[in-house]
Amino acid sequence: YDHRSDNVWLRLKDNSTNIIASVSSDGINFMDIGQQSRSSWPTGSGYDEVGFFVNGESADADALYHFNAWIVE
């Protein structure tokens, strides 16, 4: 995963046991960055909403991001 890429894909995958977060710089090759048990969520059955947070990594620069697509499979 090249974190310097202009494009970043975020994937949240639910395998009925865990929710797995992955990132990719090309939308094909993903690297897992974390996972959470579905039972640890407040609802006890996994997430029912998704939110995004953007960090510009600098106090002097705005964090500007554009979402090209949102797909639920």
Side-chain angles (χ1 to χ4, degrees), residues 28-65:
I28 298 169
N29 301 296
F30 283 85
M31 178 180 77
D32 292 350
I33 58 171
Q35 68 178 3
Q36 187 75 36
S37 167
R38 292 179 105 234
S39 63
S40 69
W41 290 72
T43 62
S45 60
Y47 59 88
D48 60 359
E49 297 178 3
V50 175
F52 295 97
F53 172 81
V54 176
N55 181 355
E57 298 183 8
S58 171
D60 298 329
D62 292 332
L64 302 175
Y65 283 81

